[in-house]
Amino acid sequence: EAGVTQSPTHLIKTRGQQATLRCSPISGHTSVYWYQQALGLGLQFLLWYDEGEERNRGNFPPRFSGRQFPNYSSELNVNALELEDSALYLCASSLEFWGPTGELFFGEGSRLTVL
Amino acid sequence: KQEVTQIPAALSVPEGENLVLNCSFTDSAIYNLQWFRQDPGKGLTSLLLIQSSQREQTSGRLNASLDKSSGRSTLYIAASQPGDSATYLCAVRFLKNTGTASKLTFGTGTRLQVTL
């Protein structure tokens, strides 16, 4: 069974550009989560989607946005890129929003470098 | 504010040693607690999940305990090996006032090095 897959693996952009990151959850999982891990910092929660709805949002500016598609895959968009947006962006999925396990499974991440 | 703390930030032990990693959280109203492993530049690998109603979980050489009343969890690694070298992250899903689960809140991790 395939795990959480993320693309692209690496992305290099310049300041002011837009970046789009994609995530495919484990088959059957309906919840998708996005986290940012900047160098030397901990994991910061970005967004949580379930059944196409945004369930929670972290303390990030509005230029960080996303969506979840009917097949439960998700997209994270970062507009007007800044140097400090350089980070590893991790996507995770879980079986359901509120269920018996709630265990999260992570992908390998997309490394975004802003020059 | 609901927070997760891990001490120590880094740990170096010789191969074969048993070790304990600590995780503390500020609110005892939790849904579950999950331990992860992260290799440099990689994603997170789920190691153990402990539900709120459980006291411990075991997988191979790993054992995680949960004490909600004191706001603590420990990850015990038996007979450590160089391949165990990684950063270990503790993450808690707290319960909101509505009774539903919040997002997963991570600690800053413990960087473990097992030397030959």
Side-chain angles (χ1 to χ4, degrees):
Chain A
E1 180 181 324
V4 177
T5 57
Q6 293 187 243
S7 64
T9 305
H10 294 89
L11 187 61
I12 299 175
K13 294 284 187 177
T14 56
R15 276 194 311 176
Q17 286 189 313
Q18 181 203 34
T20 297
L21 308 177
R22 297 179 177 82
C23 173
S24 292
I26 292 172
S27 178
H29 286 194
T30 63
S31 275
V32 171
Y33 313 77
W34 287 96
Y35 284 83
Q36 181 197 65
Q37 188 177 37
L39 193 63
L41 298 178
L43 279 90
Q44 302 297 317
F45 169 73
L46 271 163
L47 291 160
W48 174 9
Y49 291 98
D50 182 74
E51 297 281 0
E53 299 284 330
E54 183 181 298
R55 297 293 182 186
N56 202 351
R57 181 183 176 85
N59 293 325
F60 281 83
R63 55 191 188 81
F64 286 83
S65 65
R67 55 180 171 168
Q68 186 178 32
F69 299 99
N71 66 353
Y72 304 117
S73 67
S74 178
E75 194 174 88
L76 174 68
N77 294 293
V78 188
N79 294 319
L81 284 166
E82 300 179 2
L83 295 178
E84 53 264 34
D85 296 334
S86 295
L88 182 66
Y89 289 84
L90 292 163
C91 173
S93 73
S94 67
L95 185 59
E96 51 198 324
F97 167 59
W98 179 248
T101 65
E103 185 173 7
L104 264 67
F105 297 89
F106 280 79
E108 288 297 313
S110 291
R111 181 162 298 283
L112 172 64
T113 301
V114 182
L115 302 175
Chain B
K1 185 180 178 184
Q2 294 167 328
E3 295 180 334
V4 181
T5 305
Q6 290 185 250
I7 294 173
L11 181 63
S12 181
V13 300
E15 181 180 14
E17 207 167 276
N18 301 324
L19 60 101
V20 173
L21 305 181
N22 296 297
C23 171
S24 60
F25 43 94
T26 53
D27 188 344
S28 62
I30 71 169
Y31 181 59
N32 61 30
L33 183 146
Q34 203 167 345
W35 282 94
F36 294 90
R37 167 189 171 134
Q38 185 177 31
D39 293 293
K42 301 291 187 180
L44 276 65
T45 300
S46 179
L47 297 174
L48 289 164
L49 171 73
I50 308 178
Q51 299 295 344
S52 174
S53 58
Q54 298 174 321
R55 294 299 297 259
E56 66 176 345
Q57 281 287 342
T58 298
S59 176
R61 294 183 294 108
L62 305 179
N63 175 276
S65 68
L66 174 64
D67 183 346
K68 285 191 304 179
S69 61
S70 65
R72 287 174 20 188
S73 175
T74 60
L75 179 66
Y76 175 82
I77 303 176
S80 59
Q81 303 170 357
D84 294 331
S85 299
T87 295
Y88 290 81
L89 294 154
C90 168
V92 177
R93 185 170 276 198
F94 292 99
L95 280 171
K96 298 192 285 189
N97 292 338
T98 54
T100 56
S102 70
K103 65 186 188 303
L104 208 59
T105 300
F106 282 85
T108 50
T110 294
R111 191 171 65 254
L112 172 66
Q113 183 175 11
V114 181
T115 58
L116 291 170

